Amino acid sequence: MTEAPFWERKSFDEMTHEEWESLCDGCGKCCLHKLIDADDTDETIHYTDVSCVLLDTETARCSNYAERTQHVPDCVVITSENVHDLGYMPPSCAYRRLAEGRGLASWHPLRNGGSQAAMIAAGISAAQCVQNEDEVHEDLELRIVTWPLNDSD
């Protein structure tokens, strides 16, 4: 009998740093600028197609992951302590999915030998779908998109 994968048998606190980091599928959706509708009693989150200055918009990978918080002080570092409080993370986020007890999606790279091909085919990646904040000169309200809410299995 094969042992269950680490994300099914370990709590967040039991994971090694490498295991924790590997949960990130690299979609880049957490790096999109989000707007919260303060007039809405539910505080609805609206995603835009505008990314953080550090996101490589071709690959949806951070161009300076190791030093990102030095360059973008409000960049959120996801930890086992705060993961349950990050409701603004995209529904497809592996950290959010696991925190909500939903498991990893079938397209996740950990289920596909490390390949992002299934994730890209499922329309989950922000790669080539966003513009860097340095290139956008209009109000973010004009850049609201719904595709980051996709969470197909």
Side-chain angles (χ1 to χ4, degrees), residues 50-120:
V50 179
S51 73
C52 166
V53 67
L54 293 180
L55 190 73
D56 178 328
T57 60
E58 292 298 310
T59 64
R61 304 301 283 197
C62 184
S63 63
N64 195 349
Y65 185 75
E67 298 175 353
R68 68 193 184 283
T69 58
Q70 294 169 3
H71 299 282
V72 181
D74 62 346
C75 179
V76 176
V77 177
I78 304 169
T79 66
S80 60
E81 290 81 32
N82 70 7
V83 69
H84 296 283
D85 300 323
L86 302 177
Y88 56 83
M89 295 300 288
S92 60
C93 173
Y95 298 107
R96 179 175 174 177
R97 289 178 61 98
L98 292 175
E100 294 174 352
R102 295 188 290 137
L104 291 186
S106 60
W107 47 261
H108 194 283
L110 285 173
R111 294 191 177 274
N112 292 282
S115 172
Q116 291 186 328
M119 176 183 67
I120 292 168

Side-chain angles (χ1 to χ4, degrees), residues 4-63:
F6 74 88
W7 62 86
E8 291 179 358
R9 61 184 160 75
K10 290 184 175 183
S11 71
F12 287 146
D13 289 328
E14 294 172 324
M15 292 181 190
T16 65
H17 176 74
E18 291 75 23
E19 289 170 337
W20 177 263
E21 289 291 319
S22 73
L23 292 176
C24 177
D25 55 44
C27 73
K29 292 193 291 187
C30 62
C31 301
L32 302 181
H33 288 281
K34 299 161 206 62
L35 303 172
I36 298 175
D37 189 345
D39 295 333
D40 185 348
T41 56
D42 292 335
E43 294 188 337
T44 302
I45 298 163
H46 300 280
Y47 288 81
T48 70
D49 65 353
V50 179
S51 73
C52 166
V53 67
L54 293 180
L55 190 73
D56 178 328
T57 60
E58 292 298 310
T59 64
R61 304 301 283 197
C62 184
S63 63

Side-chain angles (χ1 to χ4, degrees), residues 115-131:
S115 172
Q116 291 186 328
M119 176 183 67
I120 292 168
I124 301 299
S125 179
Q128 301 179 24
C129 297
V130 299
Q131 271 192 289

